[in-house]
C-alpha cells in the first residue's frame, strides 16, 4: 500500500472551481493500492511576501525533517513515511527551501496548477502593457518591485530561480493539466512531465428554467479580467444581470459595481449553474485549466472565454465561444447544442492516471535506493 500525502493550501470549504476542489475529487473515492491524505488543510488567505516564497508563510515554516517525521498536522497519516509519496500542489505556503529539502528525502510529485514556479505574480500578467512574453531576472525584478527600488530584488530572483531548478531536479514527476504548459518547463526537465487534464464529476442532465443572467466563477482579482468584463458590458448597454461568485482579493473593493453586477459570495453547489444563460471567463492570462469551464459544460450551460485565456486543450468545444470584446456576448446563438470538450478524460480515468504515475514514481525511487545501497 502506497500512501499519498497531498500538500495543499485550502482556502474555502466546498468552494467550486478551485484546485482544492479538484484534489478533493481525487482523494474522496478510494483507489486500489493507495491511501490518500490531505496534509495541511487549513483556511488561509492574503498575499505572500518575497521572503515567504523562499521560507514559507508564518505558522507553515516547517523544516522538511519536521514535515516528514512529525506530521502532528495530520494525526491519521501513516507513521512510517518511507512508504509515502508527497504530492505537492502549491509551493506556498510551505516555501521553496522546505520543498527542496523534502524532495531530497522522499519521493515527490508536483502538479503545475499555475505559473508560480516561473512568475512571482503567478499569471504572467504585469498589469501594464498586456501579458508577459517570458521571465527574466531583470524584467521580473522591475515588474514585482514597481516603485520599490530595492537592491535585494535581483539577488532574490537569482536565489528563487536556483531553488526552482533544484526543486525540479529533485521531484520525480511534473504533472501538467494541458499540453501547452510543456513549453514553460525547462528543457532538461521535460522528460519528467506527464500531461493529465483536469476533470470534474459528471452529472445527469436536468432541464431547468434558465434566467437571462450571466455568471462569473473564480477569484476576484485583476488578472481574472472581471473588472474589464464589467466595464465592457456597461459600455455595451448590457440590460441583464451578471452574478459573481468567488473569493475577493483583500486589496480590491466591490462597493462601486454597477447595478447589473451582483456579488453572490462563494458558490458551494455546482448545480446552481444550471439556471444561468452562460458562464463568462474573461481572464487576461492563459488559464492552466480552468475547472470552471468543465463545471459549466457538465451543468448544461455554454461558456464565453476571452481570446487567449484558454489552452488549446480547452478550446475545441463548440459550446465555448471566444470573444475580443464583451459586446460580442450579447449576440450569442442560444440554439447551439451543449457539448463537452473532446479528448478530456473522465474523473475515474484521471484518478487511474494519477495512480499509474504514483506507482511509476515509487518503483523508480525504490530502485534508486537499492542501487545506492
Amino acid at each position: 500500500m502506497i500512501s499519498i500525502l497531498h500538500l495543499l493550501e485550502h482556502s474555502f470549504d466546498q468552494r467550486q472551481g478551485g484546485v482544492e476542489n479538484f484534489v478533493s475529487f481525487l482523494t474522496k473515492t478510494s483507489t486500489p493500492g493507495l491511501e490518500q491524505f490531505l496534509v495541511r488543510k487549513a483556511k488561509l488567505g492574503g498575499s505572500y511576501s518575497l521572503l515567504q516564497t523562499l521560507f514559507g508563510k508564518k505558522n507553515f515554516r516547517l523544516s522538511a525533517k519536521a514535515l516528514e517525521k512529525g506530521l502532528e498536522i495530520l494525526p491519521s497519516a501513516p507513521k512510517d513515511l518511507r512508504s509515502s509519496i508527497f504530492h505537492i500542489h502549491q509551493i506556498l505556503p510551505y516555501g521553496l527551501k522546505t520543498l527542496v529539502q523534502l524532495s531530497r528525502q522522499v519521493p515527490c510529485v508536483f502538479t503545475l496548477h499555475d505559473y508560480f514556479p516561473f512568475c512571482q505574480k503567478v499569471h504572467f500578467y504585469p498589469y501594464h502593457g498586456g501579458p508577459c512574453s517570458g521571465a527574466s531576472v531583470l524584467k521580473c525584478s522591475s515588474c514585482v518591485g514597481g516603485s520599490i527600488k530595492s537592491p535585494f530584488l535581483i539577488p532574490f530572483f537569482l536565489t528563487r530561480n536556483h531553488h526552482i531548478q533544484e526543486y525540479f531536479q529533485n521531484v520525480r514527476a511534473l504533472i501538467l493539466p494541458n499540453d501547452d504548459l510543456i513549453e514553460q518547463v525547462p528543457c532538461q526537465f521535460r522528460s519528467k512531465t506527464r500531461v493529465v487534464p483536469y476533470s470534474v464529476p459528471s452529472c445527469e442532465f436536468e432541464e431547468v428554467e434558465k434566467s437571462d443572467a450571466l455568471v462569473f466563477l473564480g477569484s476576484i482579482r485583476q488578472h481574472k479580467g472581471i473588472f474589464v468584463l464589467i466595464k465592457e458590458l456597461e459600455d455595451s448597454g448590457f440590460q441583464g444581470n451578471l452574478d459573481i461568485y468567488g473569493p475577493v482579493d483583500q486589496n480590491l473593493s466591490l462597493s462601486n459595481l454597477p447595478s447589473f453586477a451582483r456579488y453572490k459570495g462563494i458558490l458551494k453547489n455546482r448545480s446552481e449553474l444550471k439556471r444561468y444563460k452562460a458562464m463568462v471567463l474573461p481572464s487576461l492570462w492563459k488559464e492552466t485549466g480552468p475547472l470552471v469551464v468543465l463545471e459549466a459544460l457538465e451543468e448544461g450551460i455554454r461558456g464565453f472565454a476571452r481570446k487567449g485565456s484558454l489552452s488549446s486543450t480547452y478550446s475545441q468545444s463548440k459550446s465555448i465561444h471566444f470573444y475580443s470584446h464583451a459586446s460580442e456576448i450579447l449576440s450569442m446563438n442560444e440554439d447551439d447544442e451543449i457539448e463537452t470538450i473532446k479528448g478530456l478524460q473522465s474523473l475515474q480515468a484521471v484518478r487511474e492516471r494519477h495512480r499509474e504515475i504514483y506507482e511509476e514514481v515509487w518503483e523508480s525511487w525504490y530502485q534508486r535506493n537499492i542501487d545506492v545501497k
Side-chain angles (χ1 to χ4, degrees), residues 234-249:
E234 189 174 31
D235 292 345
S236 302
F238 181 56
Q239 297 297 311
N241 289 308
L242 171 67
D243 286 356
I244 302 168
Y245 292 92
V248 183
D249 187 294

Side-chain angles (χ1 to χ4, degrees), residues 235-307:
D235 292 345
S236 302
F238 181 56
Q239 297 297 311
N241 289 308
L242 171 67
D243 286 356
I244 302 168
Y245 292 92
V248 183
D249 187 294
Q250 63 180 4
N251 297 316
L252 298 175
S253 172
L254 301 182
S255 59
N256 296 318
L257 295 179
S259 58
F260 67 79
R262 308 179 298 189
Y263 180 63
K264 296 286 190 175
I266 304 298
L267 182 69
K268 294 188 175 182
N269 187 348
R270 194 182 81 181
S271 64
E272 293 183 27
L273 295 174
K274 284 183 170 69
R275 60 189 176 88
Y276 287 100
K277 183 178 181 179
M279 173 181 285
V280 186
L281 184 82
S283 295
L284 305 176
W285 65 312
K286 183 184 281 189
E287 298 269 3
T288 54
L291 287 159
V292 292
V293 169
L294 304 184
E295 292 176 333
L297 296 181
E298 281 292 345
E299 295 297 337
I301 67 171
R302 58 183 44 81
F304 278 88
R306 185 176 297 277
K307 289 181 179 178

Side-chain angles (χ1 to χ4, degrees), residues 208-221:
V208 298
E209 184 177 351
K210 295 186 182 296
S211 71
D212 289 331
L214 303 174
V215 61
F216 168 88
L217 176 58
S219 301
I220 315 301
R221 298 182 177 181

Side-chain angles (χ1 to χ4, degrees), residues 16-64:
Q16 298 295 306
V19 169
E20 61 268 33
N21 209 36
F22 172 68
V23 177
S24 181
F25 296 152
L26 292 181
T27 59
K28 275 181 180 177
T29 303
S30 62
T31 303
L34 298 181
E35 290 180 298
Q36 303 205 57
F37 303 91
L38 288 179
V39 179
R40 274 294 183 185
K41 181 180 178 183
K43 291 183 180 180
L44 300 177
S47 58
Y48 296 92
S49 72
L50 299 185
L51 287 179
Q52 286 166 351
T53 299
L54 301 180
F55 301 108
K57 196 170 176 68
K58 185 179 180 181
N59 299 327
F60 282 77
R61 292 173 183 164
L62 299 176
S63 68

Side-chain angles (χ1 to χ4, degrees), residues 163-331:
H163 286 319
I164 287 292
Q165 291 282 322
E166 277 192 294
Y167 180 52
F168 278 13
Q169 180 67 44
N170 293 339
V171 296
R172 311 302 293 178
L174 292 166
I175 297 179
L176 313 180
N178 65 69
D179 292 297
D180 293 3
L181 286 170
I182 294 176
E183 65 185 31
Q184 298 295 337
V185 178
C187 294
Q188 66 268 36
F189 305 124
R190 290 182 184 176
S191 62
K192 297 184 177 186
T193 59
R194 308 289 185 270
V195 177
V196 185
Y198 288 130
S199 186
V200 298
S202 59
C203 63
E204 294 184 7
F205 182 77
E206 179 184 355
E207 192 68 42
V208 298
E209 184 177 351
K210 295 186 182 296
S211 71
D212 289 331
L214 303 174
V215 61
F216 168 88
L217 176 58
S219 301
I220 315 301
R221 298 182 177 181
Q222 292 284 2
H223 66 277
K224 289 291 188 176
I226 179 60
F227 298 105
V228 175
L229 171 66
I230 291 171
K231 181 67 167 60
E232 290 179 351
L233 288 174
E234 189 174 31
D235 292 345
S236 302
F238 181 56
Q239 297 297 311
N241 289 308
L242 171 67
D243 286 356
I244 302 168
Y245 292 92
V248 183
D249 187 294
Q250 63 180 4
N251 297 316
L252 298 175
S253 172
L254 301 182
S255 59
N256 296 318
L257 295 179
S259 58
F260 67 79
R262 308 179 298 189
Y263 180 63
K264 296 286 190 175
I266 304 298
L267 182 69
K268 294 188 175 182
N269 187 348
R270 194 182 81 181
S271 64
E272 293 183 27
L273 295 174
K274 284 183 170 69
R275 60 189 176 88
Y276 287 100
K277 183 178 181 179
M279 173 181 285
V280 186
L281 184 82
S283 295
L284 305 176
W285 65 312
K286 183 184 281 189
E287 298 269 3
T288 54
L291 287 159
V292 292
V293 169
L294 304 184
E295 292 176 333
L297 296 181
E298 281 292 345
E299 295 297 337
I301 67 171
R302 58 183 44 81
F304 278 88
R306 185 176 297 277
K307 289 181 179 178
S309 64
L310 289 177
S311 71
S312 56
T313 304
Y314 295 83
S315 60
Q316 304 168 17
S317 173
K318 294 178 182 177
S319 300
I320 300 177
H321 306 272
F322 292 89
Y323 71 91
S324 299
H325 189 278
S327 59
E328 299 167 28
I329 298 174
L330 308 185
S331 59

